[in-house]
Amino acid sequence: MGRLTNKKVGAVSFLNTKPLIYPLLQSSPPDVDLSLDYPSLLADKLQQRQLDVALIPTIEYFRQPNYRIIPNISISSKGAVRSILLFSQKPITDCRTVRLDSSSRTSQALVQILLGEYFQIYPDFVLCPPTTQPSEHETDAILLIGDQALRYRDSGGYVLDLGQIWQDLTDLPFVYACWVGRSGEDLGNLPQILDRSKQKGLQQIDQITQLEAKNLGLPVDLCYRYLTQHIFFDLGEAEVSGLREFYRLALKYGLAKPNIPISFLSD
């Protein structure tokens, strides 16, 4: 494997990505060009070859036949996630219209799957900007993700944590995002750089939470609990099983392309 040469890397700017990218933000290797954007836009840029590797929503992996996952790294939950929330002023089973945060297509797919599989309801869905507040929507419910969901977690009414519902439904972790590149492309030592960044970032959780809590206007203890008790960063056998189950259900609901294996860059 050759050395890394001018690779464009895209990541999400949410709190839950910071343990993966904080060391790169502090001191990125000279030939790693790191940019931050919303998950859906990163997926578009990867598809358009504006990026070599991106931290994309997992549903996007299951919509492209030529992608490969970088091993051992993910953004996952094992139960309540606290940052993928469905807000409503009425019981979930009474909801007939749902607004979906446009910034993450995995969360859009997940809410459709869970409402169908767990609650047996099939509402109409419309997209909304990621800056929308729970009080601003005109539908029965609204899905918010990431920092915006954390910010309005206690806004009242009915709040459904999709990570917890997924766990209740499947007894598996849910994988929200992975580092993904295109098959057949030499990424040099970029996978090793990303893995080292993850290992170092996990050792800097205290520093990250202090900084990000201030930037986001959130309590430090909330950010710390979130990054240590609700979000996980490995991609082991249990997480891969969760990915397979998500793909099975995404196919059932027409949200993914058929015949997409889970393949890694090391395969």
Side-chain angles (χ1 to χ4, degrees), residues 19-21 23 71-73 192-205 233-234:
L20 298 182
I21 65 172
N72 306 321
I73 310 173
Q192 289 76 22
I193 288 173
L194 294 177
D195 188 66
R196 287 196 298 269
S197 180
K198 166 195 161 185
Q199 301 303 331
K200 187 174 181 180
L202 291 176
Q203 297 173 4
Q204 297 175 314
I205 294 292
F233 301 97
D234 293 332

Side-chain angles (χ1 to χ4, degrees), residues 75-174:
I75 296 176
S76 307
S77 66
K78 303 173 184 178
V81 65
R82 304 208 69 181
S83 60
I84 314 289
L85 304 178
L86 187 68
F87 298 86
S88 176
Q89 294 301 316
K90 60 174 65 176
I92 297 299
T93 52
D94 293 339
C95 292
R96 297 295 176 263
T97 55
V98 178
R99 281 188 179 269
L100 303 177
D101 185 322
S102 61
S103 63
S104 175
R105 294 164 188 156
T106 286
S107 300
Q108 295 169 23
L110 180 60
V111 73
Q112 294 179 63
I113 289 169
L114 292 181
L115 290 181
E117 292 292 302
Y118 195 85
F119 294 98
Q120 287 80 54
I121 63 170
Y122 306 92
D124 294 327
F125 298 100
V126 293
L127 295 181
C128 67
T131 55
T132 303
Q133 301 178 20
S135 60
E136 293 178 343
H137 69 93
E138 298 176 354
T139 49
D140 294 332
I142 181 171
L143 173 74
L144 296 181
I145 73 164
D147 302 342
Q148 190 77 341
L150 285 172
R151 190 169 289 115
Y152 292 102
R153 67 198 181 281
D154 297 324
S155 60
Y158 297 88
V159 181
L160 183 71
D161 188 307
L162 298 193
Q164 185 61 60
I165 298 301
W166 174 263
Q167 179 78 21
D168 293 345
L169 178 69
T170 68
D171 198 29
L172 290 169
F174 189 81

Side-chain angles (χ1 to χ4, degrees), residues 15 81-83 85 146-154 205 209-210 212-213 216-231:
L15 172 61
V81 65
R82 304 208 69 181
S83 60
L85 304 178
D147 302 342
Q148 190 77 341
L150 285 172
R151 190 169 289 115
Y152 292 102
R153 67 198 181 281
D154 297 324
I205 294 292
T209 52
Q210 291 286 340
E212 293 301 315
L216 296 170
L218 293 172
V220 173
D221 63 334
L222 168 69
C223 294
Y224 183 82
R225 290 196 309 272
Y226 175 63
L227 291 178
T228 58
Q229 299 177 23
H230 297 282
I231 294 293

